[in-house]
Each structure stands twice: as structure tokens, then as C-alpha cells.
């Protein structure tokens, strides 16, 4: 089994079972205890878990999807409104698991589009819209994030092609690197990038630099970033120098 796949399964086991021992993980993954210990060292170095005596635990202080969705709604709506203007009727669109991407789904209701997503909130929003051809990617259900993920989602994405990918992120580094906090979510996002003609990042100013220790992609993989961050922000400058179109939004109303 590839190390990246083992890392995904280790993190899934820790999320579902709390503290998990090295021996339990070795048995579940049919790997040696020494291999699991090396995996845990790597994942701890990436900031994705904490090793404890005999095993490891995830100390997850990331907000749930519902908590994140309730924050900065005005800013996210302004970004989503701008993103919706880029899409033409008849096109295909991949929407990832982000909460700003969910706000974009609301703007697409009634449009004649094909939408491909692993975002269960997007699915809930669009499932009754007969104008939209809706494809839900397969995979493990990650309840806190309201998403489907894992190798099944990656396999599905290898079979499709899309005009657009609109994606979120946990952070955007000064050099333009797009970051996530969870290594298990990265392969599906990379597969989304590979399946799409154009890639647009939706990122409010809190994502500059935001959080995340795992790189999803670099600026060379992005066509545009829609944001309410200052045009003079060092990251925006670096993105433009790398050939990425940085699209500003109008100031949003202050959220209550």
C-alpha cells in the first residue's frame, strides 16, 4: 500500500475512533508496527495528529462545516456572486467541499449547467433543480465536513472532464501555495484540478495566510483567485506575478 493511502486511512481511523494504538493500526492496515510509527512521525511533523504513548490522537480544533458556513457570509456571497458571472449556460462545473463554494451553488440555481461535486451541502441545494445535471462523487462520508472523500472520489474524477473548478482552501501562502489542514482531502482536490480546464480559487481575506500544512497546489495550477483581500497584499502581488488573474470583489456588508 502506498504511504499516502496509509496516511489517509490512519487519519480516518483516528477521526472515527479517537486515540488509536500503533498495534491496532498495524493490524487494520496490514503493515508492520515500525511502518506505522514512521507514518505517525510524518503525520505529526505535518501537524495532522499528536502522538501519545503507544499510539496517536487527532486534536481537531477545526470548525465544523456548519460553524464555518455561518462565518463571513457577506464576504462569501460577494465572492460567489463574482464567480457565478464567469460561468456560461451549458458548461460543466466542479464544486469542491468549501463553504464559499457552497454559497456559489446557491447562485447557480435555475442555470442550465452540469455540476460535479463531493460537497453534500451543494448536493442538498441543487438536487431538486431540474435545470442542473448533478453528479455526486462517491467516497467515504466525512460528516463534520459534509463531504465525500477518498480513493472512490479520485477514481470518479478520472472519468470526467469539466470546464471549471471552483475550489476553496484553508490557507494561501505568500508565494501563492494553496494549503489544506488535512492530508486526506488533498488527493481528491488535485484530481479535480487535473479534470478541469480552468481552476478558480475562492478565498476571503481570512485565508491570507489562513491555516494548513499540506500543499494542494501552487499558483501555476490556478487561473484566477476571487478574493476581498487587498490588491496590495503580498500574496495577491505574488499571484499576479505568477500569471494568476486576481479578481477583487466589492466590499461586503458586515456580518452580524
Amino acid at each position: 500500500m502506498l504511504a499516502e493511502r496509509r496516511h489517509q486511512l490512519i487519519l480516518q481511523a483516528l477521526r472515527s475512533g479517537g486515540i488509536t494504538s500503533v498495534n491496532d493500526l498495524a493490524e487494520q492496515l496490514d503493515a508492520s508496527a515500525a511502518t506505522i510509527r514512521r507514518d505517525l512521525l510524518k503525520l505529526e511533523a505535518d501537524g495532522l495528529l499528536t502522538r501519545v504513548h503507544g499510539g496517536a490522537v487527532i486534536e481537531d480544533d477545526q470548525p465544523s462545516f456548519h460553524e464555518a458556513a455561518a462565518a463571513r457570509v457577506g464576504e462569501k456571497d460577494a465572492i460567489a456572486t463574482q464567480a457565478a458571472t464567469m460561468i456560461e449556460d451549458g458548461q460543466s462545473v466542479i464544486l469542491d467541499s468549501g463553504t464559499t463554494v457552497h454559497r456559489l451553488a446557491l447562485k447557480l440555481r435555475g442555470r442550465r449547467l452540469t455540476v460535479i461535486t463531493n460537497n453534500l451541502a451543494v448536493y442538498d441545494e441543487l438536487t431538486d433543480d431540474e435545470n442542473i445535471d448533478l453528479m455526486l462523487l462517491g467516497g467515504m462520508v466525512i460528516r463534520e465536513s459534509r463531504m465525500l472523500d477518498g480513493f472512490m472520489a479520485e477514481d470518479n474524477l478520472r472519468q470526467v472532464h469539466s470546464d471549471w473548478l471552483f475550489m476553496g482552501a484553508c490557507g494561501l501562502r505568500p508565494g501563492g501555495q494553496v494549503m489544506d489542514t488535512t492530508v486526506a482531502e488533498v488527493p481528491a482536490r488535485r484530481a479535480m484540478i487535473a479534470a478541469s480546464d480552468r481552476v478558480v480559487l475562492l478565498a476571503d481575506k481570512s485565508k491570507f495566510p489562513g491555516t494548513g500544512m499540506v500543499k494542494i497546489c501552487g499558483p501555476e495550477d490556478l487561473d484566477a483567485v476571487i478574493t476581498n483581500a487587498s490588491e496590495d497584499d503580498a500574496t495577491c502581488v505574488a499571484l499576479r506575478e505568477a500569471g494568476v488573474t486576481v479578481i477583487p470583489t466589492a466590499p461586503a456588508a458586515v456580518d452580524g
Side-chain angles (χ1 to χ4, degrees), residues 175-252:
Q177 297 83 13
V178 182
M179 309 299 289
D180 204 338
T181 57
T182 307
V183 69
E185 297 182 20
V186 170
R189 280 188 161 136
R190 290 177 178 169
M192 290 177 178
I193 292 170
S196 304
D197 283 341
R198 286 160 287 186
V199 179
V200 182
L201 178 68
L202 309 183
D204 66 70
K205 61 188 176 185
S206 72
K207 304 299 175 63
F208 291 67
T211 59
M213 297 184 180
V214 187
K215 179 181 173 182
I216 300 172
C217 67
E220 66 277 4
D221 296 306
L222 301 175
D223 293 284
V225 174
I226 305 177
T227 184
N228 62 340
S230 168
E231 292 187 29
D232 296 328
D233 182 278
T235 302
C236 290
V237 172
L239 288 166
R240 287 194 295 269
E241 289 176 349
V244 180
T245 301
V246 179
I247 302 172
T249 63

Side-chain angles (χ1 to χ4, degrees), residues 87-88 91-95 104 108 113-117 133 135 161-166 196:
I87 305 166
E88 298 179 4
Q91 291 188 320
S92 54
V93 181
I94 296 177
L95 301 181
L104 172 57
L108 300 182
L113 300 168
T114 297
V115 174
I116 303 161
T117 190
D133 292 327
M135 177 186 293
H161 173 267
S162 180
D163 295 301
W164 295 96
L165 164 62
F166 291 91
S196 304

Side-chain angles (χ1 to χ4, degrees), residues 3-12 39 42-43 183:
E4 187 174 77
R5 177 63 180 148
R6 264 198 329 275
H7 294 171
Q8 292 179 21
L9 295 174
I10 288 170
L11 292 169
Q12 287 176 11
D39 289 338
K42 173 65 168 62
L43 291 169
V183 69

Side-chain angles (χ1 to χ4, degrees), residues 8-30:
Q8 292 179 21
L9 295 174
I10 288 170
L11 292 169
Q12 287 176 11
L14 291 172
R15 288 194 194 95
S16 61
I19 296 176
T20 305
S21 73
V22 169
N23 290 336
D24 285 344
L25 289 169
E27 183 176 346
Q28 291 177 40
L29 303 182
D30 192 24

